Amino acid sequence: MGGHSHGPPKVPDYRIYKVEDCPQLVKTQRMLAQHGLKDPWLRNEVWRYPPASQHPYNTLKVVYFRKFKLGLALAGLTILGEKVYHHFYPEEHHH
């Protein structure tokens, strides 16, 4: 539908995801083992958890401060644009 095709997306190799790299899933695996159960699809959930070596502040920084400068600049431009607009086209009524 008019899009530019660059081929199918690259799927990472399944062997890079290891349950042993994620403490939360290791705990889940142990709890299942206590009941004699095993989840063969647990490896598919590893991508949801950040690496154990990553500090929580880094995750916060990535999530909340990504594009923060751009957002701040756009907010400033919006305020400046409103001030200029109201300078040349003042409101007729006051509240």
Side-chain angles (χ1 to χ4, degrees):
M1 306 241 17
H4 300 286
S5 177
H6 298 290
K10 186 178 182 304
V11 178
D13 188 21
Y14 72 93
R15 290 173 285 206
I16 66 170
Y17 298 110
K18 296 184 180 8
V19 174
E20 293 79 23
D21 295 338
C22 182
Q24 294 97 333
L25 294 179
V26 170
K27 179 181 174 184
T28 302
Q29 194 175 37
R30 266 193 255 118
M31 288 171 45
L32 287 171
Q34 288 176 352
H35 296 285
L37 301 172
K38 182 179 179 185
D39 187 358
W41 299 100
L42 197 58
R43 183 186 65 225
N44 294 343
E45 301 298 318
V46 173
W47 67 271
R48 296 178 187 263
Y49 298 94
S53 63
Q54 187 174 358
H55 193 272
Y57 177 72
N58 291 340
T59 306
L60 179 75
K61 186 170 64 173
V62 167
V63 171
Y64 290 110
F65 297 122
R66 181 183 299 167
K67 304 293 183 181
F68 180 75
K69 293 177 189 174
L70 177 63
L72 193 60
L74 289 174
L77 284 173
T78 302
I79 292 170
L80 180 66
E82 285 184 4
K83 295 288 184 185
V84 169
Y85 177 81
H86 289 301
H87 176 72
F88 289 110
Y89 302 102
E91 296 180 10
E92 298 294 326
H93 59 281
H94 297 287
H95 293 281

